[in-house]
Amino acid sequence: GGHAAHPARPPPAAHRALGRLLRRDRARLGEAALHTAQANVLRDAKKKGRVTAATRAENEPKRIDPSSLTFTSAIAPAPSDRSRVITIVSGLPRSGTSMMMQMLAAGGIAPHTDAQREADEDNPRGYFEHKQATELRSDASWLPNARGKVVKIVAHLLPHLPPPQNGDEYRVVFMHRDLDEVIASQSAMLERLGRQGARLKAGQLSRVYSAQLVRVEEWLRRARGVATIGVRYADVIADPAATAERISKFVGQPFDAGQAAAAVDSSLWRQRSEVVTASSGS
């Protein structure tokens, strides 16, 4: 008797298709992101001929330290006409993008959201999402509707932004968060929902996300008509007022930095690098 054959792993296309399917359920966007990441891992391994479990683990790319990334473009003056500005909040899932949306909305920038995804235990103050933003890869025709507003777009979709048209400009507030916290927060959320998500180990997912962040920063550096400011999740919690002042100079007036700072609820930072407890911050 020979050894039993290992069950075949789903091909990248299957994970990608499942990710697209799950994105239709607003409560499963984090799960969808995991399947998309799994598809990318398998696709890259297949390209290089590393298709066995042993060689896949052996040849995984090294983790890149995201702290070396700034996501801040050359200092840009505040926009003279914010009605032509599409403000974008971006970052990895569970990196504090909803918190930043809350700050900007409190400061006076109307959110471009469809209000379909209700607040829950993972984001008690709401998600501030719009379904159109999750479909940016296939349809960007809605972007003019976000002029003068702020919209949340997940990091890996940023390179699908079309060049700004008709005097518009993009201003991207990019959220940084310790990758271990991001991954632990996702895991806690999926566990609470009773779902497994994609079968990616934490270390593997960390490398996938690191590489994704590098690709996005490279795109932001080259993109024209895109100003970017990097904001660290930990800095927002530690000093909301200082963060709000930085944001105010970036997004332009009118903006109420005091109200923006007051919107930060530091009690939601339940997922720290040192101690893993529960989840916080999409």
Side-chain angles (χ1 to χ4, degrees):
H3 295 290
H6 291 289
R9 291 176 179 268
H15 281 289
R16 202 170 299 283
L18 185 54
R20 284 197 299 269
L21 184 64
L22 289 173
R23 280 200 298 271
R24 297 178 185 175
D25 182 348
R26 304 293 291 282
R28 303 185 76 172
L29 290 178
E31 207 174 343
L34 295 179
H35 279 285
T36 300
Q38 176 75 83
N40 292 339
V41 168
L42 295 176
R43 178 201 62 201
D44 293 344
K46 189 174 182 180
K47 279 183 181 177
K48 299 172 183 176
R50 301 164 181 163
V51 293
T52 68
T55 56
R56 183 180 296 110
E58 185 179 321
N59 290 292
E60 280 178 349
K62 293 181 179 179
R63 173 172 172 166
I64 300 159
D65 182 7
S67 66
S68 65
L69 308 176
T70 63
F71 288 94
T72 299
S73 56
I75 298 175
S80 56
D81 181 4
R82 203 166 65 196
S83 69
R84 307 299 304 180
V85 176
I86 299 172
T87 305
I88 296 166
V89 171
S90 189
L92 295 173
R94 314 303 298 165
S95 65
T97 52
S98 294
M99 176 176 65
M100 181 52 61
M101 288 290 291
Q102 291 156 17
M103 289 186 72
L104 294 177
I109 304 180
H112 182 65
T113 173
D114 56 18
Q116 288 185 15
R117 190 175 183 188
E118 297 180 354
D120 58 23
E121 185 176 351
D122 295 299
N123 267 2
R125 294 191 174 191
Y127 286 85
F128 290 86
E129 294 174 347
H130 201 300
K131 188 174 187 296
Q132 290 174 328
T134 68
E135 299 169 348
L136 181 63
R137 190 192 308 267
S138 57
D139 179 17
S141 64
W142 56 271
L143 276 167
N145 297 330
R147 287 182 186 135
K149 299 179 180 180
V150 58
V151 61
K152 189 203 305 191
I153 299 177
V154 71
H156 73 271
L157 291 181
L158 285 181
H160 294 281
L161 281 168
Q165 303 291 327
N166 305 318
D168 292 348
E169 67 169 300
Y170 301 132
R171 296 231 159 193
V172 179
V173 180
F174 199 97
M175 294 300 299
H176 294 268
R177 190 178 183 182
D178 180 276
L179 278 182
D180 292 332
E181 291 183 8
V182 168
I183 292 164
S185 181
Q186 279 195 336
S187 298
M189 180 180 70
L190 293 175
E191 182 177 347
R192 203 162 30 245
L193 295 172
R195 298 169 186 150
Q196 286 189 334
R199 297 177 180 274
L200 276 178
K201 294 181 179 178
Q204 189 180 35
L205 185 57
S206 177
R207 284 185 285 271
V208 169
Y209 277 160
S210 295
Q212 188 179 101
L213 289 174
V214 170
R215 286 195 297 270
V216 171
E217 191 196 40
E218 289 174 349
W219 179 84
L220 286 169
R221 193 181 299 123
R222 295 192 311 267
R224 294 186 178 183
V226 182
T228 312
I229 185 171
V231 177
R232 298 190 182 281
Y233 182 93
D235 292 344
V236 179
I237 299 296
D239 195 342
T243 300
E245 284 297 331
R246 280 188 70 213
I247 295 297
S248 178
K249 294 174 183 176
F250 179 71
V251 300
Q253 296 301 318
F255 187 78
D256 190 329
Q259 288 296 320
V264 178
D265 183 358
S266 60
S267 69
L268 295 179
W269 191 17
R270 310 169 210 157
Q271 202 57 271
R272 292 171 172 80
S273 296
E274 303 84 2
V275 180
V276 173
T277 53
S279 168
S280 174
S282 82

